[in-house]
Amino acid sequence: MSGWSHHAGLAVLLDRANVDTDQLIPARFMSTPRAQGYGRFLLHDLRGDGAAWDVPGASILVAGPNFGCGSSREAAVYALVDAGFRAVIAPGFGDIFAANAVNNGLLPAVADTGALMRALPGRLAIDLAVGTITPEGGAAIGFDLDPVWCVKLINGWDDIDLTARHTDDITAFAKRRREQAPWLWPQTTGAKPPSTGRDQ
Amino acid sequence: MRTLFDRLWDAHVIRTRDDGAALLWVDRHYLHEGSHHAFARLAARGMGVAHPALTVGVADHYVPTRGPTTDPDIARMVATLEGNAAAHGFALFGRGDPRQGIVHVVGPEQGLTLPGMLVVCGDSHTSTHGALGAWGFGIGATEVAHVLATQTVWQRKPRRMRLTFHGTPAPGVGAKDMALHWIAALGADGARGHAVEYAGPAVRGLPVSGRLTLCNLSIEGGARCGMVAPDAALIDWLRGRPFAPQGAVFDRAAEGWAALASDPGAEFDAEHSFDMAGIAPVVTWGTSPEDAAPITASVPDPARATPERASRMAEALDYMGLRPGQRLTDVAVDQVFIGSCTNARIEDLRAAAAVLAGRRAVVPGMVSPGSTPVRRQAEAEGLDRIFVDAGLEWVGSGCSMCVGMNGDRVAPGMRCASSTNRNFRGRQGPGARTHLMSPAMVAAAAVTGHLSDVRPFLEGRG
Ligand code: SF4
């Protein structure tokens, strides 16, 4: 994944609260291999009737509160990324969605979208390092992003590579844990599966 | 002074970076068919599974519940998981395995989830496992690949929230109602960024099955995870489970589990409390779990809501085909579903059967037990007969109509009373209209053909 620190592009509005990941990509499409592209599944069941967000070439989505709540399906992020989106700006995000977004280079920017909404559809410029969003010909507004995620997005870091530096620590931790609590390493006892309802 | 969550956090930190991100050890990693993206990532890097012994796969999201599937896509999803289990050497409770079921039912039931563990799964309802005094949370495919490769996960410490329930539940009121009640009160993002601990006498009084339901729904209020401190009832519930420690080892482990609690006076970042006296059986009327109200109420009127909320409410009512002011008990349903990791344990099936015994459903419906052991137990108790005699279909175990991936779907425009956890647009199928409620409330809706207060149906029964 390549990092990025600036992006300017066409921003569109999806003016709804609680857009869950089931809406971002309905479950029935999720058996598709990623290589086939997920962009066409984005918000599939909300399409039609000139949806304000459905504009070719858009790369920034301005959305309502609690965007990406619900299922942990990372496919919701794939759908946005494959449809060409680089950033979603919303008053708040589902936690798992936001983490998934960062892992795929998609910015989940937390901002007061009131001022931006009036500038849409239109072009926005995002500066990751400074933490600003600027509408064309307008004043910049700030956005919130976990600083860890910011660094990760800018550098395009991959967690597996970062973690590899700590292999010795991990091995030592696992050894200690196994000594202290060996039962955490499961070994079936062959015991009869107990009745599932003994507590009532 | 530490909270229960602080204790779980501290016990799993391998290393904390200067920026506050911590590398955490994962005790148990559950996989399901949806893990194919993660395995593809792993394969692309030429990596294997670091700790197959701590990794357990369960076929649930796509498994057919009515005999073999004819859909090649669905068959391929289940087969891919089987192939990955064989290739990487982790245990799999797949098709035909007597332990198969929904991952969040199976883990606790088999004793694979234990107090004090950090549990992850590529599924948001991993919060369920917190009912056992564990820290369970859902992760995305990139993180699943990371856990497979390293048995660790990077996290920032969430804030801590305590939700305390005082009093005792009235008959017909249970964990599902408690959960929907707090989510309606605080909102679908009310606990965002927080680790929730459930406390108070009403939580203590819940059987483990109810605690699992309560923790399961934590994510619907935006919480990162939900948990209940272990107590004697839990330890008794765990004893003898197949993958739990046995004998003296169990006793030694249980000593440590009993110490997993929040110190008196430990500080939480947020606290809310609720009185059970104010909690009636709850149903949802909209397209978010926060759109919940007591069954005695009416469909809310957007005209009386704040402007922000009004437009969302109007859209939800339009999708749901409801009129403001309509009494909830006047809303006719087309079908019912009892199942899911929220409410398909044996206690849930008993609660539904207690309502249905000797009665007929006037609408069609399905009952899918949470696991194959639950199914066997239910059959041993004759619950399956009660469902079938009432006119409902008794099927195999899996996610089934909770998410419709295996083809068990609600048809467009149809209205379903459902014991599941999400009433999102299209969740149970494109255009499906879902009303969430407890399994006993689903049973009452089946009998009357409309949303109903279960309480009169319980008079003189169990
Ligand atoms: S039963 Fe529903 S909520 Fe639970 S794991 Fe399956 S799809 Fe997810």
Side-chain angles (χ1 to χ4, degrees), chain B residues 5-13 22 24 135 155-157:
Chain B
F5 180 74
D6 295 326
R7 293 206 146 81
L8 291 167
W9 174 271
D10 293 347
H12 291 90
V13 173
L24 303 159
W135 171 20
Q155 290 284 296
R156 295 258 286 184
K157 193 171 180 182

Side-chain angles (χ1 to χ4, degrees), chain B residues 35-77:
Chain B
S35 315
H36 68 103
H37 287 298
F39 281 104
R41 275 179 189 261
L42 212 59
R45 304 178 66 114
M47 298 185 82
V49 177
H51 289 267
L54 305 181
T55 309
V56 179
V58 180
D60 56 6
H61 281 69
Y62 287 84
V63 285
T65 47
R66 298 151 151 154
T69 179
T70 50
D71 182 327
D73 272 352
I74 290 173
R76 179 170 47 81
M77 289 298 284

Side-chain angles (χ1 to χ4, degrees), chain B residues 61 102 104 123 125 340-341 399 402-403 421 427:
Chain B
H61 281 69
I102 306 169
H104 310 307
D123 189 281
H125 292 100
S340 88
C341 58
C399 295
C402 173
V403 70
N421 45 40
R427 170 74 175 186

Side-chain angles (χ1 to χ4, degrees), chain A residues 16 20 22 38 70-71 74 93 95 100 104 146 148 158 161 163 166 169 173 177 184 189 196 198-199, chain B residues 15 25 27 37 41 45 109 140-142 146 154 156 192-193 208 237 242 246 315 347 422 424 427:
Chain A
R16 282 171 184 266
D20 53 75
D22 276 79
Y38 272 46
S71 158
E74 195 161 303
F93 292 90
D95 287 331
N100 290 342
N104 289 276
D146 184 309
V148 175
D158 175 308
D161 291 337
T163 305
H166 304 295
D169 290 337
F173 185 97
R177 190 147 182 84
L184 297 174
T189 59
T196 42
R198 291 167 301 157
D199 55 342
Chain B
R15 169 173 274 274
W25 176 255
D27 294 307
H37 287 298
R41 275 179 189 261
R45 304 178 66 114
E109 179 174 271
T142 302
H146 185 274
W154 287 97
R156 295 258 286 184
R192 192 177 56 226
V208 174
W237 187 89
Q246 309 287 322
E315 269 181 23
E347 294 83 352
R422 288 190 171 138
F424 298 162
R427 170 74 175 186

Side-chain angles (χ1 to χ4, degrees), chain A residues 109-137:
Chain A
V110 176
D112 177 356
T113 50
L116 294 179
M117 272 159 65
R118 289 187 285 280
L120 299 184
R123 289 182 67 80
L124 299 177
I126 298 172
D127 186 326
L128 262 183
V130 184
T132 54
I133 302 164
T134 313
E136 204 158 58

Side-chain angles (χ1 to χ4, degrees), chain B residues 29 56 65 120 123 132 143 158 179 244 253 265 299 325 368 396 406 415 431 453 462:
Chain B
H29 185 197
V56 179
T65 47
V120 297
D123 189 281
L132 308 191
E143 289 170 308
V299 174
S368 176
N406 74 338
R415 187 182 302 284
D453 192 332

